[in-house]
Amino acid sequence: MNLIGEGKCIQTGGTFLIMAEHLSQSELDYPFKLLEYFNGFRISKETFGLPSEEIFSAIYRSEEEMLKFMGLMNSTWVIDGHDIVTAFDLSSFKTVIDLGGCSGALARELAKEYPSSTVTVLDLPAVVQTAQRHFAQQDDTICFQEGDFFEGEIPPADLYILARIIHDWKEDKNLKLLKKIHTACHPGGGVLIAEALLFENRRGPTMVQMFSLNMLVQTEGKEHPPSHYTRLLTDAGFRDVQVCRTGKSYDAILALK
């Protein structure tokens, strides 16, 4: 038996059992706020005549639209961030890069939990500049770096975070990104993925099925069960894939190089 992440997940013979936690009203409300936002955003996109696969170009078309989205993502990790960064013991990873880390909320949770680690958010220039203007704190514990992790260089690090990234894109694009991360990753390092996980039979959880339907409509991606991520990470060269269902909206997957 192997306890992972403050006793929240138990591994017995390769099967993870979930110790459910009591959810606050704000946590219960969050998925509905998310769906409301995307429903409104879809109407906004139709008004501008944009195809659904251009969602991110549409989000970044103005600072006002970007701030709405970034505020939603910020709220996500205020609620779920601590559970993600404590799902596994990440204390051995001294340099961490949150790819597409948006406002930096999840990065701050990690920096707070592991103060000896250096945490950097790498995101598009417009996102980084907006985050620094509206979300950066005076005593900020994280750094921001402008870049495009799909097209540009990925700096070397011990750990890379991909939070709500994989579910946006097609499998071939995700595999290419994970291989790129594997190349940049220090030996003994790894990648931490935060996503809402379907059951293996894809018959639930209901809210994740709703998320998946929304992703199919809005983007190129969808939600997946743990086996999909295990195969994807293994194909990219990673090993020792571990899965932790947090009992919250988002779950955690850790794989090592």
Side-chain angles (χ1 to χ4, degrees):
M1 180 179 290
N2 180 31
L3 297 184
I4 300 175
E6 300 182 347
K8 289 178 295 184
C9 296
I10 303 175
Q11 183 182 19
T12 308
T15 300
F16 288 85
L17 307 177
I18 312 308
M19 301 176 69
E21 298 179 7
H22 176 71
L23 298 181
S24 68
Q25 189 59 48
S26 64
E27 291 166 339
L28 292 170
D29 289 344
Y30 168 74
F32 298 98
K33 290 179 181 178
L34 179 69
L35 291 171
E36 283 174 7
Y37 173 82
F38 278 114
N39 184 55
F41 188 74
R42 181 166 58 250
I43 294 170
S44 174
K45 286 199 305 169
E46 289 169 355
T47 302
F48 279 79
L50 296 171
S52 62
E53 64 267 16
E54 294 182 5
I55 183 171
F56 293 105
S57 296
I59 287 173
Y60 300 150
R61 67 175 176 255
S62 71
E63 184 162 306
E64 180 183 4
E65 197 71 62
M66 193 185 307
L67 276 172
K68 287 181 187 177
F69 183 76
M70 292 176 75
L72 181 69
M73 295 302 98
N74 199 69
S75 299
T76 300
W77 303 126
V78 168
I79 294 171
D80 287 0
H82 181 263
D83 294 88
I84 294 298
V85 302
T86 59
F88 309 98
D89 181 2
L90 306 177
S91 59
S92 63
F93 304 114
K94 299 306 179 186
T95 54
V96 182
I97 298 179
D98 187 353
L99 299 172
C102 201
S103 67
L106 183 59
R108 288 186 187 91
E109 289 294 327
L110 193 143
K112 188 191 310 180
E113 189 68 26
Y114 306 100
S116 63
S117 298
T118 301
V119 187
T120 301
V121 171
L122 189 151
D123 214 320
L124 296 172
V127 178
V128 167
Q129 292 161 22
T130 302
Q132 289 178 318
R133 280 196 299 272
H134 296 279
F135 296 97
Q137 303 165 3
Q138 215 169 24
D139 57 344
D140 218 336
T141 54
I142 65 173
C143 303
F144 284 90
Q145 180 175 337
E146 296 179 5
D148 184 334
F149 52 81
F150 280 116
E151 302 298 332
E153 293 288 325
I154 295 180
D158 295 325
L159 180 70
Y160 297 88
I161 300 175
L162 290 172
R164 292 175 45 86
I165 300 293
I166 298 295
H167 73 168
D168 291 327
W169 309 100
K170 293 180 180 178
E171 183 169 340
D172 57 345
K173 190 165 186 174
N174 285 323
L175 182 57
K176 183 178 178 180
L177 174 60
L178 287 169
K179 286 181 176 179
K180 191 174 179 181
I181 292 170
H182 186 271
T183 299
C185 187
H186 292 151
V191 59
L192 177 70
I193 294 174
E195 295 285 2
L197 294 177
L198 287 167
F199 297 148
E200 284 299 335
N201 62 12
R202 301 178 187 269
R203 295 180 179 176
T206 302
M207 189 54 63
V208 183
Q209 290 175 317
M210 292 173 68
F211 284 168
S212 191
L213 179 61
N214 183 70
M215 298 309 295
L216 284 167
V217 171
Q218 301 284 352
T219 73
E220 301 174 334
K222 58 184 176 180
E223 310 299 348
H224 303 282
S227 59
H228 175 87
Y229 293 99
T230 298
R231 178 177 56 78
L232 198 61
L233 287 160
T234 302
D235 288 348
F238 289 97
R239 58 181 176 81
D240 297 338
V241 181
Q242 300 177 70
V243 177
C244 180
R245 291 188 182 271
T246 66
K248 298 278 187 76
S249 299
Y250 294 95
D251 305 304
I253 302 166
L254 178 68
L256 303 178
K257 179 174 179 178

